[in-house]
Amino acid sequence: MVLYSLGSNGSGQLGIGSKDDCSVATRCQVVSWLFDHSGVPVKVVAGGNHTLVLYSTGQVYMAGFPVALAEYDITHSHIDRMQFQVAELTHPDHFSVRIKLCSATWEVSTLVTTDDHIFTFGCGFKGELGRGTRLIMLESLCPPLDRAFIPEGTSVIDLASGLQHTIIVLSNGDVYGWGNGRKGQLGEPAAIVSEPRKIDAVNFKVKRAVCGREFTYLVGDQDQGQHVVLGSDRFCVRSQAPESISGWQDIGASWGSIFVLHQSGNVISWGRNDHGQLAPGELPHIAQIAVGSEHVLALTADRKVLAWGWGEHGNCGPDVDKDGDVKSPWSVIKITDDEGGQSIIGVGAGCATSWLWTDSAQLSSQTSSDR
């Protein structure tokens, strides 16, 4: 597996060994002595200046954000943050911790372990840490959030974050959130919510959640197609929503738009479109989507990566106009160093950052040498 990235990189969040923006898919650098070759990415999330990559092994790889996880042991914490370091999380009682979900606000990261402990770290002035009103900065994985709100016998099945708020979905269909809820994105009353609070304004069992800048998008059963948008109606994200999205396969949200990938391979979208963010017409059959702050990546059935929207930082490739918008309905992101016919198997997107990974077993130029 080889991980590639492009886009905004002012804090080294692309993990390519520099802090320069990049408009060409470039191999990420991973600290070699902790890299588990058996895993593949399952999710990429990115805040304003940091990136988390969750692998199928339950490990999280971090770049661009100086985190010192004091309560838990991260080996080799001195590593340059311009390359991905493997967060080797070990509980104080010396048993391994596996992560199943991760998300990122602008400056806060959230991790959910396989045994449903929820950890937050970073800096948040509007409740983003979910740890009460007095704590706004946390550079270590201190004790997890109080699990009292999670009923016995239920588990966390989804996690999502927007610019300043976070949502979790439980296996019983309940939804909780914390952070900036002043626009109603965390339900009523609309306010800053500094600890996990249940969202009651949903009349169906929720399966998935995604977050925009000031809204939350919740969906139910794939066959029934129930969905609801909570929060601001800026760019008509609530008022233009279709009645049903039955047959949905995946969902995504930019800061001002919503995207639904149907099982048919068709993508529908609504909301902000001043930089061409909404899905172009006549797209080919789409297998995967990844939605960033103001751009989208789509993996086609024949393994091509299409990008559209705002690509000011190179996140949609080099073919953009003077405003940073993709010139054609979409651009095609290619791997320029492909020597062995690699097949692209996944895509991710963040705050003006883009990610793709291949099924190649070649790792020699991706990992850094031991120090």
Side-chain angles (χ1 to χ4, degrees), residues 353-371:
T353 54
S354 298
W355 311 84
L356 53 123
W357 49 96
T358 71
D359 59 1
S360 172
Q362 301 172 8
L363 288 166
S364 58
S365 62
Q366 184 192 23
T367 55
S368 64
S369 58
D370 293 357
R371 295 184 178 181

Side-chain angles (χ1 to χ4, degrees), residues 12 57 123 128 329:
T57 56
C123 181
E128 294 99 314

Side-chain angles (χ1 to χ4, degrees), residues 76-152:
H76 314 294
S77 60
H78 63 280
I79 294 167
D80 189 343
R81 294 309 192 276
M82 291 186 295
Q83 59 183 328
F84 279 97
Q85 65 165 329
V86 183
E88 186 69 25
L89 301 182
T90 306
H91 191 276
D93 293 334
H94 305 294
F95 61 82
S96 179
V97 174
R98 289 172 54 87
I99 307 301
K100 67 176 181 179
L101 298 167
C102 64
S103 70
T105 66
W106 188 255
E107 291 187 301
V108 169
S109 300
T110 301
L111 307 177
V112 179
T113 66
T114 52
D115 57 357
D116 294 306
H117 288 291
I118 303 170
F119 294 90
T120 60
F121 54 95
C123 181
F125 294 92
K126 295 183 178 179
E128 294 99 314
L129 289 171
R131 295 176 178 268
T133 57
R134 295 185 177 182
L135 190 58
I136 62 173
M137 181 176 293
L138 187 62
E139 293 185 348
S140 63
L141 277 179
C142 288
L145 273 62
D146 188 345
R147 292 182 39 159
F149 69 93
I150 302 178
E152 187 72 26

Side-chain angles (χ1 to χ4, degrees), residues 43-62:
K43 189 171 188 179
V44 178
V45 297
N49 296 287
H50 69 290
T51 304
L52 306 178
V53 183
L54 174 62
Y55 273 65
S56 56
T57 56
Q59 291 178 305
V60 170
Y61 297 66
M62 304 180 182

